[in-house]
Amino acid sequence: MPALIVGNWKMNGLGEDIAEIAAMAGSGARAVWIAPPFTLIDRAVIVSAGAVKIGGQDCHAKDKGAHTGCVSAAMLADLGAGFVIVGHSERRRDNGEGDADVRAKAAAGLAAGLEVILCIGETREQRDAGQTDAVLSRQLAGSLPDTAEGLIIAYEPVWAIGTGLTPTLADVAAAHGHIRTELVGRFGSAGHGVRILYGGSVTPANAGELLGVAEVGGLLVGGASLTAQSLLAIAAAA
Ligand code: PEP
């Protein structure tokens, strides 16, 4: 299974930036996915022509209804998106989303036929207090959907996102090993098939060593995913 490199553009990208996705798609790189802002998904699906899977950064838990400003998983699928990220720590922080919300969004994404990247991770305070495993267990218990089919987990230490800081490779291995144990405990043998991504200050310089860690099946990349040059350098490390 080749490593999967997923770019999360967050609230970045205007029409002119579609050229970056076109360049990624034209590069021949495999297993590169991009989650642009909602406003670019339609154009991104067209220019990527299937070479780069396009996804959403969030979705509502319901299919449709009176939820002004929200986008459903069914709407993402209708645009040609192939995946959705749920539970990103910036959604949890800025929008007060808890594990039950994340679980409902994950279920909605899977029901719409999307692959779901479910993000979990501890804060600096929780790590310093020795609570990392307990936090990851609690988040998984509260947010995992009923099936492992179509599910991807992203381990993203909150303190590593956008800070230039990364855990030691041993800490990444320990967290991913713990997540694997939890997934197998929850889903049985199907838990072995769930890909686990690492995310948090990934760059072309550190991608290779992170991908070499046991149970790291790919990377979720924020800032370094905004240009084709940078993201393709990370993909080359895969
Ligand atoms: C992210 O937000 O998912 C992320 C990993 O961001 P960055 O790579 O910028 O730390």
Side-chain angles (χ1 to χ4, degrees):
M1 199 158 59
L4 176 62
I5 308 299
V6 183
N8 170 17
W9 276 19
K10 311 190 183 190
M11 198 172 72
N12 296 291
L14 298 173
E16 65 196 19
D17 300 304
I18 279 294
E20 300 296 336
I21 295 177
M24 293 171 197
S27 71
R30 293 169 55 223
V32 170
W33 297 7
I34 295 290
F38 291 135
T39 49
L40 292 183
I41 288 177
D42 200 14
R43 282 173 277 181
V45 166
I46 292 167
V47 301
S48 64
V52 168
K53 190 178 285 192
I54 302 300
Q57 299 171 15
D58 179 51
C59 66
H60 198 277
K62 299 227 169 82
D63 259 6
K64 60 183 174 182
H67 302 286
T68 302
C70 297
V71 172
S72 73
M75 291 169 176
L76 293 174
D78 184 51
L79 281 178
F83 74 97
V84 64
I85 299 171
V86 298
H88 192 282
S89 63
E90 289 159 10
R91 297 284 317 171
R92 294 176 188 257
R93 180 196 68 201
D94 296 348
N95 301 80
E97 294 177 8
D99 291 331
D101 302 304
V102 176
R103 183 174 194 276
K105 288 170 184 246
L110 294 174
L114 302 174
E115 292 185 76
V116 169
I117 300 177
L118 193 164
C119 303
I120 57 174
E122 82 287 357
T123 63
R124 182 79 246 178
E125 294 68 31
Q126 289 166 333
R127 173 162 285 276
D128 290 346
Q131 297 169 349
T132 299
D133 283 357
V135 169
L136 298 178
S137 296
R138 191 177 68 232
Q139 290 179 331
L140 289 170
S143 62
L144 282 177
D146 290 336
T147 174
E149 184 85 22
L151 179 67
I152 296 168
I153 301 296
Y155 168 58
E156 296 208 300
V158 177
W159 53 272
I161 294 178
T163 59
L165 303 171
T166 52
T168 64
L169 299 182
D171 285 343
V172 173
H176 280 238
H178 179 71
I179 292 167
R180 177 67 67 208
T181 301
E182 291 284 345
L183 289 170
V184 172
R186 172 67 179 266
F187 296 120
S189 58
H192 287 293
V194 177
R195 195 190 283 271
I196 308 172
L197 309 177
Y198 167 79
S201 294
V202 174
T203 66
N206 64 18
E209 60 183 15
L210 286 163
L211 286 168
V213 174
E215 297 289 6
V216 173
L219 302 168
L220 181 52
V221 186
S225 74
L226 293 173
T227 66
Q229 185 186 30
S230 171
L231 191 72
L232 291 174
I234 292 170

